[in-house]
Amino acid sequence: METITIDKVLDELINQQKLPLEKVIDRYFSPSYRQRTNGCREDREGFAQHARKLREICAFARIDVLDELRERNLYATRHRVLCTKRDGSEVVMEVYMFAETDESGRFLRIEETTLMLKGTESDHDLGSAK
C-alpha cells in the first residue's frame, strides 16, 4: 500500500463523494480503527457516521498540511481544513493530529485536537459531528 497522507484521505472522504464511503474507509482505516477528537472517542463505525455527516454538510474542503512528521508507523500533522458548507458559509479548522498505522499502512488510531479559526458557534464541533 502507498503511504497515506491526511490531505489525500480527507480529499477522498469529503470532496470525492462519488466514491463509495465504505470503500474509502476500507482503503485507509483498519478494521480496529479508533479515534479521539477533542476528548470524544469513536470506534470505526462511529467514525463512519461522522464521515457521512461531513459529506452531508460540506460541499468542498481544502486541506493544507502545515507540518508533517513520520517515523515508522507513527504519523503527525498540523493541518488546516477550509470547508465550504452546502449553505455557502465557511469553516476553517486547524487540526493537531497524532496517528498510528497498522502493518498494511492504514490508520489504526488517530488522536486529534481541533481549533476553530472561522465559523459560527454551531460549527465548533464539526470535527466530531454526526
Coordinates of all heavy atoms in Angstrom, one line a residue, residues 49-84:
Q49 N -20.0 7.2 10.7 CA -21.2 8.1 10.9 C -20.7 9.5 10.8 O -21.4 10.3 10.2 CB -21.8 7.8 12.3 CG -22.5 6.5 12.4 CD -23.0 6.2 13.8 OE1 -23.0 7.1 14.6 NE2 -23.5 5.0 14.0
H50 N -19.6 9.8 11.4 CA -19.0 11.2 11.3 C -18.7 11.6 9.8 O -19.1 12.6 9.4 CB -17.8 11.3 12.2 CG -17.0 12.6 12.0 ND1 -17.5 13.8 12.2 CD2 -15.7 12.7 11.5 CE1 -16.6 14.7 11.9 NE2 -15.5 14.1 11.5
A51 N -18.1 10.6 9.1 CA -17.7 10.9 7.7 C -19.0 11.1 6.9 O -19.0 12.0 6.0 CB -16.9 9.7 7.2
R52 N -20.0 10.3 7.1 CA -21.3 10.5 6.4 C -21.9 11.9 6.6 O -22.3 12.6 5.7 CB -22.3 9.5 6.8 CG -22.1 8.1 6.1 CD -23.3 7.2 6.3 NE -23.3 6.5 7.6 CZ -22.5 5.5 7.8 NH1 -21.6 5.0 6.9 NH2 -22.5 4.9 9.0
K53 N -21.8 12.4 7.9 CA -22.3 13.7 8.3 C -21.5 14.8 7.6 O -22.0 15.8 7.1 CB -22.3 13.9 9.8 CG -22.9 15.1 10.2 CD -24.4 15.1 9.9 CE -25.2 16.2 10.6 NZ -26.6 16.2 10.3
L54 N -20.1 14.6 7.5 CA -19.3 15.6 6.8 C -19.7 15.7 5.4 O -19.7 16.8 4.8 CB -17.8 15.2 7.0 CG -17.2 15.5 8.3 CD1 -15.7 15.0 8.3 CD2 -17.3 16.9 8.7
R55 N -20.0 14.5 4.7 CA -20.4 14.6 3.3 C -21.7 15.3 3.2 O -21.9 15.9 2.1 CB -20.5 13.2 2.8 CG -19.1 12.6 2.4 CD -19.2 11.2 1.8 NE -18.0 10.8 1.2 CZ -17.8 9.9 0.3 NH1 -18.9 9.2 -0.1 NH2 -16.6 9.6 -0.1
E56 N -22.6 15.2 4.2 CA -23.9 16.0 4.1 C -23.6 17.5 4.2 O -24.3 18.3 3.6 CB -24.8 15.5 5.2 CG -25.4 14.2 5.1 CD -26.2 13.8 6.3 OE1 -26.7 14.7 7.0 OE2 -26.4 12.6 6.6
I57 N -22.8 17.9 5.1 CA -22.6 19.3 5.5 C -21.7 20.0 4.5 O -22.0 21.1 4.1 CB -21.9 19.4 6.9 CG1 -22.9 18.9 8.0 CG2 -21.5 20.8 7.2 CD1 -22.3 18.7 9.3
C58 N -20.6 19.4 4.1 CA -19.5 20.0 3.3 C -19.8 19.9 1.8 O -19.9 18.8 1.3 CB -18.2 19.5 3.6 SG -17.7 19.7 5.4
A59 N -19.7 21.0 1.1 CA -19.7 20.9 -0.4 C -18.3 20.7 -0.9 O -18.1 20.1 -1.9 CB -20.3 22.2 -0.9
F60 N -17.4 21.3 -0.2 CA -16.0 21.2 -0.7 C -15.1 21.5 0.5 O -15.4 22.3 1.4 CB -15.7 22.2 -1.8 CG -14.2 22.2 -2.2 CD1 -13.8 21.2 -3.1 CD2 -13.3 23.2 -1.8 CE1 -12.4 21.1 -3.4 CE2 -12.0 23.1 -2.2 CZ -11.6 22.1 -3.0
A61 N -13.9 20.9 0.6 CA -12.9 21.2 1.6 C -11.5 21.3 1.0 O -11.2 20.5 0.1 CB -12.9 20.2 2.7
R62 N -10.8 22.2 1.4 CA -9.3 22.3 1.0 C -8.5 22.0 2.3 O -8.8 22.5 3.3 CB -9.0 23.7 0.5 CG -7.6 23.7 -0.1 CD -7.2 25.0 -0.6 NE -6.6 25.8 0.4 CZ -6.8 27.1 0.6 NH1 -7.6 27.8 -0.2 NH2 -6.2 27.8 1.6
I63 N -7.6 21.1 2.1 CA -6.7 20.6 3.2 C -5.3 21.1 3.0 O -4.7 20.8 1.9 CB -6.8 19.1 3.3 CG1 -8.2 18.6 3.6 CG2 -5.8 18.6 4.5 CD1 -9.0 18.3 2.4
D64 N -4.8 21.9 3.9 CA -3.5 22.4 3.8 C -2.6 21.8 4.9 O -2.9 22.1 6.1 CB -3.4 24.0 3.9 CG -4.1 24.7 2.8 OD1 -4.1 24.2 1.6 OD2 -4.7 25.7 3.0
V65 N -1.7 21.0 4.6 CA -0.8 20.4 5.6 C 0.3 21.4 5.9 O 1.1 21.8 5.0 CB -0.2 19.1 5.1 CG1 0.8 18.5 6.1 CG2 -1.3 18.1 4.8
L66 N 0.3 21.9 7.1 CA 1.3 22.9 7.6 C 2.6 22.3 8.1 O 3.7 22.8 7.9 CB 0.7 23.8 8.6 CG -0.7 24.4 8.2 CD1 -1.4 25.1 9.4 CD2 -0.5 25.4 7.1
D67 N 2.5 21.2 8.8 CA 3.6 20.4 9.4 C 3.3 19.0 9.3 O 2.1 18.6 9.5 CB 3.8 20.8 10.9 CG 4.2 22.2 11.1 OD1 5.3 22.6 10.5 OD2 3.5 22.9 11.8
E68 N 4.3 18.1 9.0 CA 4.0 16.7 8.8 C 5.3 16.0 9.2 O 6.4 16.3 8.8 CB 3.7 16.4 7.3 CG 3.4 15.0 7.0 CD 2.9 14.9 5.6 OE1 3.6 15.5 4.7 OE2 1.9 14.2 5.3
L69 N 5.1 15.0 10.1 CA 6.2 14.2 10.6 C 5.8 12.7 10.5 O 4.7 12.4 10.8 CB 6.6 14.5 12.0 CG 7.0 15.9 12.3 CD1 7.0 16.2 13.8 CD2 8.4 16.2 11.8
R70 N 6.8 11.9 10.1 CA 6.5 10.4 10.0 C 7.8 9.7 10.5 O 8.9 10.0 10.1 CB 6.2 10.0 8.6 CG 5.7 8.6 8.4 CD 5.4 8.3 7.0 NE 4.5 9.2 6.3 CZ 3.2 9.1 6.3 NH1 2.6 8.1 6.9 NH2 2.4 9.9 5.7
E71 N 7.5 8.7 11.4 CA 8.6 7.8 11.8 C 8.0 6.4 11.9 O 7.1 6.2 12.8 CB 9.2 8.3 13.1 CG 10.4 7.4 13.5 CD 11.2 7.9 14.7 OE1 11.3 9.1 14.8 OE2 11.7 7.1 15.4
R72 N 8.5 5.5 11.1 CA 7.9 4.2 11.0 C 6.4 4.2 10.9 O 5.9 4.7 9.9 CB 8.4 3.3 12.2 CG 9.9 3.1 12.2 CD 10.4 2.2 13.3 NE 10.2 2.7 14.6 CZ 10.9 3.6 15.3 NH1 12.0 4.0 14.8 NH2 10.6 3.9 16.5
N73 N 5.7 3.7 11.9 CA 4.2 3.6 11.8 C 3.5 4.8 12.6 O 2.3 4.8 12.8 CB 3.7 2.3 12.4 CG 3.9 2.1 13.8 OD1 4.9 2.6 14.4 ND2 3.0 1.5 14.5
L74 N 4.3 5.8 12.9 CA 3.7 7.0 13.6 C 3.7 8.2 12.6 O 4.6 8.4 11.8 CB 4.6 7.3 14.8 CG 4.7 6.2 15.9 CD1 5.6 6.7 17.0 CD2 3.3 5.9 16.4
Y75 N 2.6 8.9 12.7 CA 2.4 10.0 11.7 C 1.7 11.2 12.5 O 0.8 10.9 13.2 CB 1.5 9.5 10.6 CG 1.1 10.4 9.5 CD1 2.1 11.1 8.8 CD2 -0.2 10.6 9.2 CE1 1.7 12.0 7.8 CE2 -0.6 11.5 8.2 CZ 0.3 12.2 7.5 OH 0.0 13.0 6.5
A76 N 2.3 12.4 12.3 CA 1.7 13.5 13.0 C 1.6 14.7 12.0 O 2.5 14.8 11.1 CB 2.6 13.9 14.2
T77 N 0.5 15.4 12.1 CA 0.4 16.6 11.3 C -0.2 17.8 12.0 O -0.9 17.6 13.1 CB -0.5 16.4 10.0 OG1 -1.8 16.2 10.5 CG2 0.0 15.2 9.2
R78 N 0.0 18.9 11.5 CA -0.8 20.1 11.9 C -1.3 20.6 10.5 O -0.5 20.8 9.6 CB 0.1 21.2 12.5 CG -0.7 22.5 12.9 CD 0.2 23.5 13.6 NE 1.2 24.0 12.8 CZ 1.2 25.1 12.2 NH1 0.2 25.9 12.2 NH2 2.3 25.5 11.5
H79 N -2.6 20.5 10.4 CA -3.2 20.9 9.1 C -4.4 21.7 9.3 O -5.0 21.8 10.4 CB -3.5 19.6 8.3 CG -4.5 18.7 8.9 ND1 -4.1 17.7 9.8 CD2 -5.8 18.5 8.8 CE1 -5.2 17.0 10.2 NE2 -6.2 17.5 9.6
R80 N -4.8 22.5 8.2 CA -6.0 23.3 8.2 C -7.0 22.7 7.2 O -6.6 22.3 6.1 CB -5.7 24.7 7.8 CG -5.0 25.5 8.9 CD -5.2 27.0 8.8 NE -4.5 27.6 9.9 CZ -3.6 28.5 9.8 NH1 -3.3 29.0 8.6 NH2 -3.0 29.0 10.9
V81 N -8.2 22.7 7.6 CA -9.3 22.3 6.8 C -10.2 23.5 6.6 O -10.7 24.1 7.5 CB -10.1 21.1 7.4 CG1 -11.3 20.7 6.5 CG2 -9.2 19.9 7.8
L82 N -10.3 23.9 5.3 CA -11.1 25.0 4.9 C -12.3 24.5 4.2 O -12.3 24.0 3.1 CB -10.4 26.0 4.0 CG -9.1 26.6 4.6 CD1 -7.9 25.7 4.4 CD2 -8.9 28.0 4.0
C83 N -13.5 24.5 4.9 CA -14.7 23.8 4.5 C -15.7 24.8 4.0 O -16.0 25.8 4.7 CB -15.3 23.0 5.6 SG -16.9 22.3 5.2
T84 N -16.2 24.6 2.8 CA -17.3 25.4 2.3 C -18.5 24.5 2.5 O -18.6 23.4 1.9 CB -17.2 25.8 0.8 OG1 -16.0 26.6 0.7 CG2 -18.4 26.6 0.3

